Amino acid sequence: MTTTDALPELLPVLLQLLPPVGLFFAALGVLVLALRLLFVLGRAVTTSAQELFHGTERPPSRRPEHKAVAAARRAGAEDMRTAWLQWQLRPGTTPKAISELSTVPRTLAVTPRADWSVDQVRAHGAEVWALRPLAVTPAWRQKVDARLDWMAARVYDLADSPFDAARGQTSEQYLFHEDHQVRDAYLEGGTAAAERIMETITAARERVREDAAAEGAAAFLATQRNAAFDQLRNAYRPTRTRDAHAAWDAAAEDIGR
């Protein structure tokens, strides 16, 4: 018997199996719908419970207040530092405005000396102050600010003009703000800036001591070398045969005695 001949006999059997298969898929569909309904009802119950215990409105965002506090702290630090630099360097006496970008590296290439007078330090500091608008990159701005701090610290030690910290806390916008957190943040920023200024002064004094020590060491070594060269010249002229290294060693021994 071929497959084609057996097909009429199998057809009734296949028709008997269709109803159970259809019922299975129908039951599966009902189960999926029931699960979706339970999920939706669960979310609704959770939302209702949250509204019951916490209210229907969300708590107000605290971000605006935090931004105001942070802005006040930055303003306090900037006001204190600006007042300090202006008082020490007197930048308003700059004779001319600087507009060329190339003047930034040229001016910063000048090495401040420890023996500069107050007027020389202030003049250089005023020139560097005029460069601030041109220092647009973070690297150049950092160099300019570091030079300004260094010059202001030197003026502090050389000039007889004490700085009044009250000059650095004059912003009515923050001093009389309705939010006490903003007021406190403004004062805290000024305190932090004052502490950094004192650290800068300490670092500047240490640098002056190091520069003086280096200059003294260079002068001492120059004296030693000059004496050695003189000894070598005097020892070489009479004999013309004396070893140069021996003359150098002899001169070094005489200096070390």
Side-chain angles (χ1 to χ4, degrees):
M1 179 182 297
T2 63
T3 304
T4 307
D5 296 335
L7 186 57
E9 297 181 1
L10 293 176
L11 187 58
V13 178
L14 294 175
L15 292 175
Q16 291 178 359
L17 292 176
L18 284 177
V21 175
L23 290 175
F24 170 76
F25 283 107
L28 183 61
V30 172
L31 179 61
V32 172
L33 291 174
L35 290 176
R36 288 180 59 89
L37 181 61
L38 288 175
F39 177 75
V40 173
L41 290 175
R43 291 187 58 181
V45 171
T46 303
T47 303
S48 300
Q50 290 178 350
E51 293 179 353
L52 177 63
F53 288 102
H54 302 288
T56 57
E57 297 181 357
R58 294 183 178 181
S61 176
R62 304 287 291 178
R63 289 182 181 178
E65 182 179 359
H66 289 327
K67 289 182 179 179
V69 171
R73 185 173 288 105
R74 288 193 300 268
E78 183 65 22
D79 288 353
M80 180 63 70
R81 182 173 182 273
T82 300
W84 161 260
L85 293 176
Q86 288 180 339
W87 176 257
Q88 301 297 352
L89 303 179
R90 313 293 170 86
T93 59
T94 304
K96 59 181 180 180
I98 300 176
S99 58
E100 296 181 4
L101 187 60
S102 60
T103 57
V104 177
R106 282 206 308 267
T107 303
L108 294 182
V110 177
T111 302
R113 295 179 53 86
D115 58 354
W116 275 6
S117 65
V118 177
D119 293 336
Q120 289 174 312
V121 174
R122 276 186 172 149
H124 180 66
E127 291 180 359
V128 177
W129 178 274
L131 298 177
R132 293 188 80 193
L134 300 180
V136 294
T137 64
W140 281 115
R141 174 54 66 90
Q142 184 177 5
K143 292 179 181 179
V144 168
D145 287 342
R147 181 63 61 85
L148 288 174
D149 291 338
W150 161 249
M151 292 294 94
R154 292 296 296 135
V155 172
Y156 173 80
D157 282 337
L158 296 174
D160 187 16
S161 54
F163 172 69
D164 183 6
R167 298 176 180 273
Q169 303 275 251
T170 57
S171 174
E172 296 182 359
Q173 175 185 358
Y174 295 110
L175 280 177
F176 308 118
H177 198 278
E178 60 182 4
D179 192 337
H180 288 281
Q181 289 184 347
V182 174
R183 297 184 183 184
D184 294 342
Y186 181 71
L187 297 177
E188 289 171 1
T191 300
E195 292 175 353
R196 286 194 294 271
I197 289 170
M198 289 186 283
E199 292 174 357
T200 301
I201 294 171
T202 302
R205 290 174 175 176
E206 181 63 26
R207 180 176 171 181
V208 169
R209 286 192 291 267
E210 292 176 354
D211 290 349
E215 187 175 5
F220 176 74
L221 289 175
T223 302
Q224 273 192 326
R225 293 159 184 161
N226 292 336
F229 283 125
D230 291 340
Q231 184 73 16
L232 177 62
R233 185 177 62 254
N234 295 332
Y236 178 74
R237 283 177 177 174
T239 64
R240 297 284 180 178
T241 58
R242 188 173 183 180
D243 182 66
H245 292 288
W248 181 277
D249 294 338
E253 291 178 0
D254 292 339
I255 295 174
R257 291 175 183 174

